[in-house]
């Protein structure tokens, strides 16, 4: 009988390449403390020898690491992509993303250095130099609200470092991203409205925002409305910006289509309804598609933006460990689910009774 094959362990690889087992372990995890040439040599040797990680051992090590406080690993860059340089502190929703990033980073042993994307002094060469000098290993971009493109003059930075975007998918360049599941968000809000007894749910969203998420708000609403008879399908109201200056477009749409509950991202619908002589929730319900703790009385969907931030950190740290950097050929996405928060802006409707 032939002798059993010797299992390919890290020690076998270490003996082959002439480095310690610890160096081999770090290299196979893509640790930047090991030179790129050494990492490449060890990876090629491991592939040649047919090395396969032990899944049971890897899982056990992960559990042990999860049970202890992480030691300091390195820094990450947290780039504010909003037009307001103070958005990390003052914006209605962006601080939740930041809080999630910082919390998860602390758990994994990473700290953050903040940057403002629209700083006129921010150039690609100088930013890359600063990141390298400070030992920053990866980038998380937070706060894209106007469009899904990043400044072309900084493309060299995205090409050099592991990078993840939060909140939206970018197209120029296309980077890996984490965000709420916008499609499922609307579906769940719609189904909740029907459960409460509403008959004519309607979406109120600015067209620019719907384009930013590639029509996932309006697309989900159209999908959800397939369960309704055609006579109960209310077209979305998208002239939000025009109505901010003058409520007439909203009032005309409301009178024409007579929705009984609004699914909206905006609290401005409350003064619009009041000015139009409609009471909430007696005459019409309101479901906030981005529920905020600052208005706990409004029913809506909690997008868990802090969890979106946590997911972004997990993604970029995974890229660092896998020694991945640059604009990916196949961007990855992590979608975060939502949950319903009850509130006094809706009520239970008994079909057939006057409202």
């Amino acid at each position: 009988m032939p002798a059993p094959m010797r299992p390919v362990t890290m020690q076998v690889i270490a003996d082959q390449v002439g480095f310690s087992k610890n160096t081999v372990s770090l290299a196979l995890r893509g640790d930047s403390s090991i030179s790129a040439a050494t990492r490449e040599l060890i990876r090629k040797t491991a592939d040649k020898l047919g090395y396969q990680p032990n899944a049971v051992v890897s899982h056990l090590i992960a559990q042990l690491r999860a049970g202890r406080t992480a030691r300091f690993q390195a820094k990450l860059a947290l780039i504010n992509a909003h037009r307001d340089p103070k958005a990390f502190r003052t914006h209605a929703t962006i601080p939740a993303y930041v809080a999630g990033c910082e919390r998860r980073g602390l758990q994994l042993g990473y700290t953050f250095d903040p940057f403002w994307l629209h700083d006129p002094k921010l150039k690609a060469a100088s930013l890359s130099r600063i990141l390298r000098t400070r030992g920053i290993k990866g980038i998380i971009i937070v706060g894209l609200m106007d469009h899904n493109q990043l400044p072309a003059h900084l493309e060299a930075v995205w090409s050099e470092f592991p990078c993840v975007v939060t909140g939206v998918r970018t197209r120029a360049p296309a980077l890996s991203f984490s965000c709420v599941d916008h499609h499922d968000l609307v579906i769940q809000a719609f189904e909740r409205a029907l459960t409460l007894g509403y008959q004519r749910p309607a979406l109120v969203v600015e067209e620019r925002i719907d384009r930013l998420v590639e029509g996932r708000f309006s697309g989900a609403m159209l999908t959800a409305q397939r369960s309704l008879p055609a006579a109960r399908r209310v077209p979305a109201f998208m002239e939000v910006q025009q109505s901010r200056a003058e409520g007439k477009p909203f009032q005309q749409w409301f009178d024409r289509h007579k929705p009984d509950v609004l699914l909206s991202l905006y609290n401005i619908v409350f003064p619009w309804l009041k000015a139009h002589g409609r009471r909430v929730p007696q005459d019409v319900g309101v479901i906030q598609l981005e529920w905020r703790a600052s208005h706990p009385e409004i029913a809506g969907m909690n997008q868990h933006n802090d969890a979106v931030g946590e997911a972004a950190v997990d993604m970029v740290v995974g890229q660092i460990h896998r020694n991945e950097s640059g604009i990916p050929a196949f961007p990855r996405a992590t979608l975060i689910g939502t949950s319903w928060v009850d509130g006094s802006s809706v009520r239970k409707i008994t079909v057939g009774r006057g409202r």
Side-chain angles (χ1 to χ4, degrees):
M1 273 181 77
M5 292 182 62
R6 182 185 178 189
V8 179
T9 63
M10 287 191 189
Q11 187 59 60
V12 171
I13 301 171
D15 293 342
Q16 184 77 19
V17 296
F19 291 100
S20 70
K21 187 170 74 171
N22 183 58
T23 298
V24 170
S25 175
L26 292 171
L28 292 176
R29 295 205 306 267
D31 196 295
S32 59
S33 64
I34 309 301
S35 71
T38 301
R39 292 198 304 267
E40 184 67 15
L41 170 64
I42 290 173
R43 277 198 299 271
K44 286 184 177 179
T45 303
D47 291 342
K48 181 179 179 181
L49 294 174
Y51 171 75
Q52 293 291 332
N54 187 314
V56 175
V57 172
S58 298
H59 178 66
L60 177 60
I61 291 173
Q63 287 184 315
L64 291 172
R65 286 175 177 163
R68 67 172 187 262
T69 302
R71 64 182 177 85
F72 174 74
Q73 299 288 336
K75 287 185 176 183
L76 300 174
L78 198 60
I79 296 185
N80 173 15
H82 197 270
R83 290 292 176 182
D84 181 0
K86 300 178 181 177
F88 279 2
R89 301 190 307 274
T90 62
H91 193 269
T93 57
I94 290 174
Y97 292 96
V98 175
C101 289
E102 291 179 340
R103 180 168 63 244
R104 189 62 176 149
L106 182 63
Q107 292 171 349
L108 298 179
Y110 289 83
T111 60
F112 290 92
D113 279 2
F115 298 86
W116 184 39
L117 184 67
H118 305 289
D119 186 340
K121 295 185 250 181
L122 204 61
K123 308 299 180 185
S126 59
L127 179 56
S128 292
R129 183 171 61 254
I130 291 170
L131 298 180
R132 290 193 301 269
T133 301
R134 296 185 185 181
I136 291 173
K137 302 298 183 182
I139 299 170
I140 296 176
I141 299 172
V142 180
L144 277 171
M145 298 280 178
D146 297 325
H147 50 76
N148 58 0
Q149 297 183 347
L150 296 170
H153 72 275
L154 293 176
E155 184 170 342
V157 179
W158 324 133
S159 300
E160 181 179 356
F161 291 87
C163 188
V164 171
V165 181
T166 67
V168 297
R169 180 203 306 263
T170 56
R171 288 298 186 187
L175 299 173
S176 294
F177 65 98
S178 66
C179 69
V180 67
D181 188 338
H182 297 98
H183 187 275
D184 186 63
L185 160 70
V186 174
I187 297 289
Q188 286 200 46
F190 183 92
E191 291 175 348
R192 179 67 65 162
L194 296 188
T195 299
L196 288 168
Y198 290 102
Q199 300 295 297
R200 298 176 62 78
L203 177 67
V204 176
V205 63
E206 189 175 340
E207 186 174 3
R208 175 182 60 86
I209 297 299
D210 192 49
R211 286 199 307 267
L212 184 65
V213 298
E214 299 163 312
R216 288 194 287 274
F217 286 127
S218 59
M221 193 66 178
L222 291 173
T223 299
Q225 286 177 326
R226 291 176 184 170
S227 65
L228 300 179
R232 288 169 52 193
R233 299 174 189 173
V234 179
F237 178 75
M238 293 190 171
E239 297 178 50
V240 175
Q241 196 60 37
Q242 298 93 314
S243 293
R244 288 185 185 275
E246 179 189 3
K248 190 174 181 180
F250 174 80
Q251 293 174 2
Q252 291 174 336
W253 168 85
F254 190 94
D255 288 341
R256 180 178 181 182
H257 299 288
K258 298 178 173 56
D260 57 2
V261 61
L262 306 181
L263 281 57
S264 178
L265 288 167
Y266 317 105
N267 292 339
I268 197 171
V269 297
F270 289 97
W272 287 349
L273 290 168
K274 184 177 181 180
H276 201 43
R278 299 301 193 274
R279 300 167 299 165
V280 177
Q282 293 91 339
D283 302 319
V284 60
V286 175
I287 294 175
Q288 169 61 266
L289 292 177
E290 190 170 18
W291 180 87
R292 298 164 188 168
S294 58
H295 291 280
E297 74 282 2
I298 303 175
M301 306 303 300
N302 189 338
Q303 293 191 14
H304 302 291
N305 291 326
D306 58 335
V308 173
E310 290 180 341
V313 174
D314 288 336
M315 293 176 74
V316 79
V317 169
Q319 291 178 5
I320 294 169
H321 288 176
R322 295 188 297 271
N323 200 34
E324 298 173 355
S325 60
I327 300 170
F330 306 102
R332 297 180 181 181
T334 297
L335 302 182
I336 301 299
T338 60
S339 59
W340 170 260
V341 181
D342 205 0
S344 60
S345 62
V346 293
R347 66 188 182 101
K348 184 71 175 176
I349 302 295
T350 302
V351 177
R353 293 185 180 179
R355 298 197 292 272

